[in-house]
Amino acid sequence: MDKIGFFKRCEEVRGRIENFKEPLIVNHYDADGLAAGALVAKALEIRGMNYNILTLRKLDFKEKMKNAEEIIFVDFGGVEESLGDALKGKQVVIIDHHQGVDGKFPQANPHLFGFDGGSELSSSGTAYMVFRNDELVDLAVVGAVGDMQFPLKSLNRDILREGIGKGIVRCDIDLSIFGRISRPLVWFLSYCTEPFLPGLTGNEKNCYRFLKEAGIELKQDGMWRKYYELELEERVRLVSALAAYLYSKGVGNASRELVGEVYMLAKQKEGSELSDAKEYSTLLNACGRHNKPEVGIRVCLGREGALEEARAMLNEHRKQLREGIVYAISNYEDFGKFYFLDGRKHIEDGVIGVIVGMLYGGTLAGDKPIVGIALDDEGKIKISARATKDLVVHGVNLGEALSKACQGIGVGGGHNIAAGATIEKDKLDEFLLNFSREL
Ligand code: C5P
């Protein structure tokens, strides 16, 4: 791993950007892509520079790019392969963390220096390393968490330490179930899929009874209480009761997943979703995956009214995830080397990746990868593949497998643990055979 080489490259990319007049930022639409795009935008604002921003689901050449002389691609792998000659005559820099190769455009990418962009640094973290400014550190943490890179390690951990040192980020060891800030306790438990809580997940009545028996008051002044509002002693009681419950159900191992690092953003208002990096990133995901990426960017830039709009997107996101996971649980198939979910006509392409990932939270053993498909707005097949850390340790590399499996029928790539692709609608059988062979 060549940290010095990577930092030098980051500096070189920053120098190029600082010479731009009015660049177009082209960023990916997921949580990390939005946080990274916003981080670049904020860095330019700090420098008093003008910019335009374009968020895309997949990398196609768009009118806005035609008119831009300077482009900063953020969180897109394979820029040169996808756009090639269309970028001729333009000044281009790339900020990314996907597997790929160094091309002719200056590219800040930890992968090119021996780091794993899937677990050691996000695109937001890479953008932070390019600009390295205290005001940007929170977005670097949000992007990493949004890309499921927790617990933060390696270069991500360096950023976390910087954030903690400046008093901007806090790293607590606490119950790490999703919704500590936003979900009333009963739903905090009943929506919990990581870990799966047998008898509690999906059962509000049992959650209500369980919390009562643990001696937790569910309301205060007529309002449902949330986890972050509990006193320390109540938190300890709840965690202990949950662990004992899991042991009594014969799934004691799952209790190890209950507690872990949670990353808090100390400068955000207490009780706001934006104070918890995980909830912040979920909010961004909701905006990006439901066609309102600009709202996510505005949230990151602290623009007035954006948070309220993002909350509305989150409701839609949750609804689609709930319906999608119900469909997925009863329709996934075992294809031998991998699990397969055909989500066409049932699940939107924007959430298929999230949903197949959620299947590992209780439904599927992590013994093989999972591949989900949905239709995109052009009628092509969008593929999302997910693996577990264990599978990656044993050699699975989904980014590589998808990239090779799609040769001649589409385009694919990504990380070893999470990857995606788009193929022509009549090429599914060919893809499945190729992918099985690559695995
Ligand atoms: O789209 P999905 O969320 O399944 O993508 C998983 C990962 O694979 C993301 O990091 C995405 O940027 C990457 N990807 C890629 N090339 C593609 C499609 C997805 O690098 N053609």
Side-chain angles (χ1 to χ4, degrees), residues 21 32 81 90 198 212 250 318 322 324 329 333 356 421 435:
K21 293 193 177 57
D32 180 36
E81 295 90 317
K90 297 185 187 301
K212 280 285 183 197
R318 282 185 178 153
R322 270 201 303 275
I329 286 171
E333 296 165 76
V356 292
F435 183 67

Side-chain angles (χ1 to χ4, degrees), residues 28-30 75 77 98 289 353 382-386 411-415 418-422:
H28 194 219
Y29 79 129
D30 65 6
D75 194 32
H98 293 101
R289 292 180 187 274
K382 159 83 184 91
I383 297 165
S384 278
R386 298 291 185 269
V411 49
H415 307 294
T422 303

Side-chain angles (χ1 to χ4, degrees), residues 77-78 96-101 109 111 116 397-400 413-416:
D96 187 30
H97 69 140
H98 293 101
Q99 302 179 87
V101 287
N109 183 339
H111 176 80
D116 173 23
N397 186 336
L398 293 177
E400 232 173 78
H415 307 294
N416 45 24

